[in-house]
């Protein structure tokens, strides 16, 4: 009898956990099919009513008009793009590409890559400050116990690399 009760007690939580983990679908919004699947990053361009969807499986940034739920353009970037960030003035989009160890600088007025900057190691994230400079975080390397090439600052107004 005790074994039967113990088995029943152990079985009940499993049933409840299984029930609680059922997927019930989205509770808001619409699902939009995107070539290449789920984006690795999304950047909001509120004044233009656009989302920039960084998709590393297609090496593309898709441009989605969120008022019509339609893809209205695409921008080809370097291999394996991971992250994006827009300048405060809304003129530039910065996208990191890990496969080419580069930073893609996109002119949003033309929706084209205007500059590709080679980085010393594979980039991960990017953010843009109020001064317009982009901070890029990278995998880097360790030399003699000291991390190297983990952060870079890129200033579009200066010539040269990050």
């Amino acid at each position: 009898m005790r074994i039967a009760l113990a088995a029943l007690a152990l079985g009940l939580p499993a049933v409840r956990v299984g029930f609680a983990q059922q997927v019930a679908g989205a509770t808001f919004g619409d699902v939009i099919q995107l070539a290449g699947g789920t984006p690795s990053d999304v950047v909001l361009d509120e004044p233009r009513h656009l989302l920039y969807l960084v998709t590393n499986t297609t090496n593309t940034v898709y441009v989605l008009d969120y008022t019509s739920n339609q893809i209205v353009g695409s921008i080809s970037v370097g291999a394996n793009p991971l992250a994006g960030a827009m300048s405060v003035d809304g003129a530039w989009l910065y996208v990191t590409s890990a496969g080419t160890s580069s930073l893609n600088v996109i002119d949003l007025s033309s929706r084209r890559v205007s500059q590709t900057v080679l980085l010393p190691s594979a980039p991960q994230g990017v953010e843009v400050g109020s001064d317009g400079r982009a901070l890029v975080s990278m995998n880097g390397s360790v030399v003699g116990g000291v991390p190297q090439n983990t952060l870079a600052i890129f200033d579009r107004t200066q010539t040269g690399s990050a």
Side-chain angles (χ1 to χ4, degrees), residues 23-126:
V23 178
T27 57
F28 65 94
D30 297 318
V31 175
I32 298 169
Q33 295 300 321
L34 185 64
T38 304
S40 59
D41 201 4
V42 178
V43 179
L44 172 65
D45 186 347
E46 202 166 11
R48 294 182 184 104
H49 304 285
L50 299 174
L51 292 175
Y52 301 104
L53 309 170
V54 179
T55 309
N56 63 2
T57 56
T58 61
N59 305 332
T60 304
V61 176
Y62 291 103
V63 183
L64 174 87
D65 180 331
Y66 62 79
T67 60
S68 67
N69 288 341
Q70 298 292 317
I71 300 292
V72 295
S74 63
I75 306 163
S76 294
V77 293
N80 301 103
L82 292 176
M86 189 170 60
S87 62
V88 175
D89 63 5
W92 305 96
L93 180 66
Y94 298 90
V95 176
T96 61
S97 290
T100 53
S101 293
S102 62
L103 177 68
N104 304 278
V105 182
I106 299 169
D107 181 346
L108 291 176
S109 64
S110 65
R111 291 191 192 157
R112 296 186 188 276
V113 174
S114 67
Q115 186 176 8
T116 300
V117 180
L118 295 178
L119 298 168
S121 66
Q124 297 297 300
V126 61

Side-chain angles (χ1 to χ4, degrees), residues 120-132:
S121 66
Q124 297 297 300
V126 61
E127 287 299 331
V128 182
S130 61
D131 61 359

